[in-house]
Amino acid sequence: MDERLERYAELVVRVGANVQPGQEVFLLPGVEHYELARALARQAYRAGASYVHVRYQDSHVRKAMIGLGPDEALTYSPEWAKELFSSMTGNAMIATTGDPEPELLADLDGERVGRALPQEIVQIRMQQIRDNSVNWCGVGAPSAGWAKQVLGEPDVERLWELIAFCMRLDEPDPVAAWRDHTARLKARAEALTDLRPDALRYRGPGTDLTVGLLPDVRWLGGGGDTSTGILYVANMPTEEVFTSPDARRTEGTIRSTQPLALAGQIVRGLELTFEHGRAVRVEAQTGAEIVRSHFETIENADRLGEVALVTKESRVGQTGTLFYDTLFDENATCHVAYGASFPFLADGEPGDGMNGANTHVDFMVGGAELEVDAVLADGSEIPLIRNEEWQLA
Amino acid sequence: MNTNGDRLERYAELAVRVGANVQPGQEVFVHGLVEHAELIRALTRQSYRAGASYVSVVYGDQHVKRAMIELGPDEALTHSPEWEKSLARTTAGNAQLGTSGNPEPELLADLDGERVGRAIALEVAEIYRQQHRDRSVNWCGVGSPNEGWAQQVLGEPDVERLWELVAFCFRLDEADPVAAWRAHLDQLDARAAALTERRPDALRYRGPGTDLTVGLLPSARWGSARFRTAGGIDYVANMPTEEIFTTPDSRRAEGTLRSSMPLSLGGQLIRGLELTFEDGRIVRVEAETGADVVRTHLANMENADRLGELALVTKESRVGQTGTLFYNTLFDENATCHIAYGFGLPYAFEGEPDEGMNVSNIHVDFMVGGPELEVDAVLGDGTELPLIRNEEWQVAA
């Protein structure tokens, strides 16, 4: 048995999803990720899972649906799949990323690709995120295709080494290392929450953006609790502190600094212009169509839902590697997301400033030249990020 | 597209159009192992081309099942998740495709045989069994070549050679495979009709280690695997298929029966299975390997110890002609005569099934045919009519 694989899976089960004895566990891997899925199933049972469900996803099946299926199939949610996702409430879930064929859907009609979302299932999942009712974790699963995209050759072993580094598997006691790491992120998030900035100001090449913040919305980093008090780390690796901004107050332009793999296509050089909180202009070197299709077909996709700060201490950033995978790349550097907010960040009832869209897409805006300031209520500005370093005491 | 890609798509197209006979507007449910992804993707494409409104693909994973049996709690073994019950229920009125070909046939061999035998989602199995009874699903099972299966069949992981054998059994070498399948099924149906007309009271099996008499039911027909759903959709449940079969009187089996080929079951290989029957029930199970899996079935599942199917196959069988042991029931049961313990087949009856039909949550075929097996029909007046000698059909159609 592959020792590293089992340790990786154990870390994800124990620290990431933090599977509790007696919980059911739902695994949502890509079909190419079966090796990791099997290790996760073993470790979940060892952690006391009452039952492990595996729902493999296959992007070729999705491609057939988009390319050959009828229009209604694109947004259809089969009864059994709704039942599956509903059953996750109160239980644990682990999903994998790492697209073995990132450009698989590139030759399809971008409008259909953008529309292909099982609406009712997305709503069930978004509700679970709003209620914070699932202890879950997303992790990377190396494959030959993903390695080829990241490294230029299908060197799966090298990709494994990079990911093991990001996951702190080189530490003698990875669980303890994760505890220290998440404590540091938590401290940063608390400092920002205490500062109560009225807005964030982003300045950099192609970027001059002000994003309003909400007074009763917290910053979060290093994991959190479900509504029933199970501590989990939703992304592994994670290097960010983040919040949900006021979706009504965004002005200016922001340019992505890294490519983004989205629905089987690569979006490069994305540039969004905001007026009164809404994206009014979408440009990109490649893949603009898929973003436009999101904005046109999904309500409030054209408003922001997340702002996240990452520094160069990030292990992902330290690899100097572009992973072409949001889970990793968003943890390399500062990012923002259009679409759904995280209502669980609000103290009390989430207000009107929260975004209820049925999608959430992160894109990376950080880099050596990006400056991020907190704008306080009195108009004064406090530097948060300079040269990818944390500025707040 | 290369020629192998073309073969894959033609194979999938035949399974979709002739096998399940997917109708425009139907949903299609595809079940198979993660190792069958290549074929499953082709089945998905061909289903949409045939007009499917939506294709649900549900991948199974033997290693996850192994983790459950080895590490999971007792209740997990027979648990039927709500979503799987929903999946099973919504299959009614729709089409289903299944792939077989075990990449690791001995994966569960070192586990507790009793737990392996018990690991069945009972409520889910009951839903599918009801659909069999209601004839509400047009479905088809096909083989999916892979390295592990090839290794077992050929002694080396020669997937290409296994594909050639499977394609031969599938009649893909014919100029018009659809027409070839029609002619083939017509011949099987003619044999079945001739046997149904004679209304034998019993079948008598004689061969090495075998001397068994099995009673038949007056309202049971003989048929091929070409079926019609209650809604009138014709489909071929197994491809390849070379058998004619019926469901016997589960109360009347006497004697001893020895399997003539190994059987891959619950992750283990059953070799040299020998069953002794009294008053329709199996009273003794012996085997060179794997007897525990069978004994657990019989001990845990009601009426698993009674017969549910008798099937006759001759040496014209394309599967038999390959001279290959496929270690896969779908293929091996079509190489030679076989018998199944467990549930009977309700569609083998005119109208309502006879009460002598076995009702159980399981159905396991094992092979009993070979050059030395003699099968006779025992007619109502006690005379015996030879059906099979030297693997050849003896009754004029």
Side-chain angles (χ1 to χ4, degrees), chain A residues 38 53 55-56 58 76, chain B residues 27 35 41 57 59 61 83:
Chain A
R38 291 164 177 178
H53 309 261
R55 161 70 180 142
Y56 282 105
D58 188 340
Y76 179 63
Chain B
E27 285 192 41
E35 293 88 347
R41 291 163 175 176
V57 172
Y59 282 107
D61 188 336
W83 69 269

Side-chain angles (χ1 to χ4, degrees), chain A residues 31-32 38 42 45-46 49-51 53-56 58 60-61 65 68-70 73 76 78-80 83-84, chain B residues 27 34-35 41 48-49 52-54 56-57 59 61 63-64 68 71-73 76 79 81-83 86-87:
Chain A
V31 71
E32 297 86 351
R38 291 164 177 178
R42 286 189 286 269
Y45 277 121
R46 287 192 195 281
S50 61
Y51 196 85
H53 309 261
V54 184
R55 161 70 180 142
Y56 282 105
D58 188 340
H60 285 264
V61 167
M65 177 187 75
L68 304 168
Y76 179 63
E79 277 308 314
W80 67 268
E83 187 70 51
L84 177 102
Chain B
E27 285 192 41
V34 285
E35 293 88 347
R41 291 163 175 176
Y48 278 121
R49 286 192 194 283
S53 61
Y54 192 82
S56 289
V57 172
Y59 282 107
D61 188 336
H63 285 259
V64 172
M68 177 184 76
L71 304 167
H79 178 58
E82 284 303 319
W83 69 269
S86 168
L87 178 79

Side-chain angles (χ1 to χ4, degrees), chain B residues 20-297:
Chain B
N21 190 15
V22 170
Q23 302 294 300
Q26 276 195 314
E27 285 192 41
V28 179
F29 295 81
V30 185
H31 297 256
L33 297 176
V34 285
E35 293 88 347
H36 303 157
E38 212 186 318
L39 176 59
I40 284 173
R41 291 163 175 176
L43 290 169
T44 304
R45 286 189 287 270
Q46 294 299 335
S47 294
Y48 278 121
R49 286 192 194 283
S53 61
Y54 192 82
V55 181
S56 289
V57 172
V58 185
Y59 282 107
D61 188 336
Q62 299 267 88
H63 285 259
V64 172
K65 183 176 179 185
R66 181 190 161 97
M68 177 184 76
I69 296 169
E70 187 185 10
L71 304 167
D74 229 53
E75 307 77 54
L77 296 178
T78 52
H79 178 58
S80 295
E82 284 303 319
W83 69 269
E84 286 194 43
K85 288 192 270 181
S86 168
L87 178 79
R89 278 192 296 267
T90 50
T91 306
N94 289 306
Q96 189 179 36
L97 291 158
T99 59
S100 67
N102 196 331
E104 292 172 84
E106 309 228 23
L107 182 67
L108 309 181
D110 62 331
L111 298 181
D112 175 1
E114 192 271 332
R115 278 175 75 84
V116 174
R118 208 141 48 85
I120 289 176
L122 289 174
E123 291 179 64
V124 172
E126 168 59 25
I127 295 167
Y128 285 123
R129 193 168 62 83
Q130 183 61 42
Q131 287 168 356
H132 262 254
R133 246 194 321 253
D134 299 341
R135 297 181 297 128
S136 59
V137 178
N138 42 311
W139 60 281
C140 181
V142 298
S144 181
N146 58 69
E147 274 191 21
W149 185 22
Q151 171 75 43
Q152 191 181 36
V153 175
L154 305 166
E156 54 187 343
D158 187 345
V159 182
E160 174 54 28
R161 175 75 191 124
L162 182 57
W163 257 117
E164 284 165 11
L165 290 167
V166 168
F168 173 76
C169 296
F170 230 69
R171 295 164 203 267
L172 274 188
D173 57 320
E174 298 277 356
D176 182 350
V178 175
W181 270 93
R182 195 173 303 125
H184 169 60
L185 291 162
D186 285 347
Q187 188 205 25
L188 292 178
D189 281 338
R191 281 185 187 170
L195 201 47
T196 300
E197 262 175 45
R198 307 253 175 173
R199 298 211 169 277
D201 175 61
L203 288 198
R204 176 92 187 258
Y205 291 80
R206 267 176 287 221
T210 290
D211 189 351
L212 183 79
T213 302
V214 185
L216 297 178
L217 294 162
S219 64
R221 292 178 303 112
W222 289 81
S224 74
R226 178 161 59 183
F227 299 116
R228 180 168 293 176
T229 65
I233 302 168
D234 288 319
Y235 67 99
V236 184
N238 293 329
M239 289 179 80
T241 184
E242 302 281 353
E243 60 175 333
I244 62 167
F245 63 88
T246 192
T247 286
D249 186 341
S250 65
R251 300 160 300 194
R252 291 197 289 143
E254 301 290 335
T256 303
L257 188 62
R258 184 186 289 170
S259 75
S260 55
M261 284 163 67
L263 167 68
S264 173
L265 184 63
Q268 302 197 8
L269 272 188
I270 321 292
R271 291 191 179 87
L273 180 66
E274 212 173 284
L275 303 176
T276 305
F277 292 82
E278 285 176 19
D279 298 325
R281 286 202 190 271
I282 298 167
V283 294
R284 193 158 158 273
V285 178
E286 298 295 333
E288 289 157 34
T289 65
D292 270 355
V293 177
V294 176
R295 288 191 189 119
T296 303
H297 279 171

